[in-house]
Amino acid sequence: MHATRTPAQAKAWLAAQGKSVKEFANENGLDPATTYQVLAGTKKGRRGEAHRAAVLLGIKEGVVAQ
């Protein structure tokens, strides 16, 4: 498994790919507001869509149900 990223590292990872947070959210079927909140640390990604966003961003290890 890969090491998890900090929210700052996840933002840098998105920037390195040339993607905005909104683009990433839309590509992965996420709510952009929830994705921004996970990156800001206001949502911890414990359950639901915040969990899914955190896992896809690499901030948290876990399984994403398809």
Side-chain angles (χ1 to χ4, degrees), residues 5 38 45 50-64:
R5 298 180 180 109
V38 169
H51 167 79
R52 188 165 179 261
V55 171
L56 291 172
L57 287 164
I59 295 173
K60 175 180 176 182
E61 289 186 16
V63 177
V64 175

Side-chain angles (χ1 to χ4, degrees), residues 20-63:
S20 69
V21 175
K22 185 176 179 179
E23 287 173 325
F24 174 82
N26 289 337
E27 288 174 3
N28 289 286
L30 299 167
D31 176 47
T34 300
T35 307
Y36 277 108
Q37 291 169 342
V38 169
L39 286 168
T42 56
K43 286 198 175 190
K44 302 301 179 194
R46 292 192 178 119
R47 62 187 67 81
E49 189 165 5
H51 167 79
R52 188 165 179 261
V55 171
L56 291 172
L57 287 164
I59 295 173
K60 175 180 176 182
E61 289 186 16
V63 177

